């Protein structure tokens, strides 16, 4: 099977297409988090890890947070959904797509993103959701005018219901992550980060680790994003693949949710994951196309994993210190920078002056009750 | 006793003075909250209120949120603290103030604000805090280099310890809210809202209820802020006192924390409050100077109160929908706009085309554990 992978220019053209439909989310900095990341962890915090008894790493890091929690529907998924539908209309014609409609299965942010994009473009949308989904998510999806069709919880049951919907309506399937157009849409996150970083650092050089160096670097040194199905990380990796910026991925290690990291170690994509990590957007195995991108060492610099406690600690910092409301999945990249000694040693080793690191906060769709359960 | 009250121009000159030391916090808009505020409440939600059985009000409101949760130390209090210290230095001379130091009693945002401002201006600071204060607040205050001195919890006990500190150090007292310079500092919040509103609405007229009207209004129609000791509300009221903008106050009604509202009704300031409202920044009776400002109908348009449940509902919306992390005290103004039928009827009656309403989010200093307790 030949697969066609996106290129940096396909992401630039995706951005032109979706720009009128999406929010231009802010790129924020934070002094407290810079200081924390640039301070060695305590020896106690390395207990029961492979680094117990060793000198904690001492990297220098300046953060640039891309706040996709402020994106439409509260997550980056709006980018891919709008792009996929706009391309569909381009290829098939408005009338055909409106007559057939679109279908997907998701209980998360992709469901709401597709429902919103379809509603904006006046395309009927059918969203297959497990019967046990939280009522607020069902109501959220319905509020965009989509028809919610219920299914069982296993992927077999969900796919059977999608097939039923397609048989009944002839609706076109829009997959959540393993899709050329979706990847291009999500990759626009990287394009905006690149632009915003340059603008910000040229206005305020003191925000960068390179403020003192004579030859300023053009691009941000590194970018890290969460990896679930891999659409966001695959797209961002593609965008930076012809630039000097290195791209990393972040996953939860709980119950094997770090399938991409483990797959890279084993040299083979892991096809199934069954984890109940609190980072509920990242319980999915990485998709085929995204694996092809992320497993290419010419493009990608590695995936690092963090524990549930580390995700919670990072989430607390973002909420309490930055005053920014994020979901657990959103902070795994920050958690890697703060707590993963492998990553921190890498930064220290590679860059005595430190790195400017772009961190994608992927979404903010959680509830006060969920926070109560996490920290109560 | 003659009291001297601040004027709009004293607030303008305060702003010039503190500008290099404070953050220029954003003025945010939100479509979802505009829609909610511009939709009548359900008849059921008026049950057990004086409006039960009546037609719910149907005002039109566009919000402009001044996010002082993104201010230094996470609350507007940084404005007053910097202003008070800068004026003190102006009057007494740097050397005198540095030799004597400053003292206050507070377990909340004023403690951290004074500690920060003193540290920035290299003035010793003594903060009297109740022994039972949460360890994170004590640590936060100490982290700015202030000396924390412990006391009992009653105001008599706290004042005794302040007197001890003054006897020992000759430190100058910087009160939290009932003070000319503090009020001028907090009032700069209003000045910035006024500027930012004009800028925003001239760039994006569709954000205003007046977008369609031929003669655009120059100033925002109304501003509402929380009222605890009244420094913020008194300062903002002063700033707008020579403009067309009306200023309102918002208080929690729980256990009589709406002392300012009740005082206005009775025609006399209420001097003591003993409430454990969840809006813990608003458990204080309004101060003498602030009462003089707020009780002047030439300057002030009224205070409205909301229940604990209404505060929680507003807080949930700000966290989950706006993705902005705020403390309960910060959202009482929004709660008034969404849920107080008296206020909503007033808007409907006064303005068939609706009002642009500036809402001050006063601070964001809460914890995930506190949110767990509120909503768990």
């Amino acid at each position: 099977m030949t697969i066609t992978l996106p290129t940096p220019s396909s992401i630039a053209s995706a951005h032109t297409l979706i720009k009128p439909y999406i929010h231009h989310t802010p790129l924020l900095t934070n002094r407290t988090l810079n200081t924390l990341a640039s301070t060695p962890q305590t020896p106690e915090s390395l207990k029961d890890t492979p680094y117990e008894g060793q000198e904690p790493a001492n990297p220098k890091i300046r953060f640039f947070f891309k706040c996709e929690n402020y994106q439409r529907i509260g997550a980056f998924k709006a980018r891919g959904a709008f792009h996929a539908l706009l391309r569909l209309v381009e290829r098939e014609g408005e009338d055909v797509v409106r007559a057939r409609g679109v279908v997907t299965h998701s209980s998360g942010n992709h469901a709401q993103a597709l429902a919103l994009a379809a509603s904006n473009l006046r395309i009927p949308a059918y969203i297959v959701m497990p019967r046990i989904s939280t009522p607020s998510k069902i109501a959220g999806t319905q509020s965009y005018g989509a028809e919610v069709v219920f299914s069982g919880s296993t992927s077999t049951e969900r796919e059977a219901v999608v097939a039923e919907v397609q048989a009944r309506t002839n609706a076109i399937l829009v997959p959540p992550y393993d899709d050329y157009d979706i990847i291009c849409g999500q990759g626009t996150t990287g394009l905006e980060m690149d632009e915003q970083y340059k603008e910000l650092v040229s206005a305020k050089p003191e925000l960068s680790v390179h403020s003192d160096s004579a030859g300023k670097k053009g691009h941000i040194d590194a970018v890290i994003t969460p990896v679930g199905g891999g659409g966001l990380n695959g797209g961002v990796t593609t965008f930076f693949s012809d630039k000097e910026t290195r791209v990393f991925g972040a996953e939860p290690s709980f119950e094997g949710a770090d399938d991409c990291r483990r797959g890279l170690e084993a040299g083979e994509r892991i096809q199934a994951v069954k984890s109940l990590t609190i980072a509920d957007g990242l319980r999915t195995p990485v998709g085929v196309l995204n694996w092809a991108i992320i497993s290419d060492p010419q493009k990608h610099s590695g995936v690092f994993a963090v524990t549930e406690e580390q995700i919670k600690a990072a989430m607390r910092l973002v909420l309490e210190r930055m005053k920014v409301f994020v979901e657990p999945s959103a902070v795994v990249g920050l958690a890697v920078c703060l707590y993963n000694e492998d990553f921190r040693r890498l930064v220290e080793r590679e860059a005595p002056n430190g790195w400017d690191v772009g961190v994608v906060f992927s979404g903010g769709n959680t509830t006060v009750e969920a926070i109560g359960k996490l920290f109560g």
Side-chain angles (χ1 to χ4, degrees), chain A residues 161-176:
Chain A
V161 176
V162 169
E164 274 168 40
V165 171
Q166 288 189 291
R168 170 164 66 88
T169 63
N170 202 21
I172 303 159
L173 179 68
V174 180

Side-chain angles (χ1 to χ4, degrees), chain A residues 128-142:
Chain A
V128 176
M129 297 179 89
R131 223 164 270 113
I132 56 158
S133 306
T134 44
S136 65
K137 288 201 170 168
I138 298 170
T141 307
Q142 286 169 331

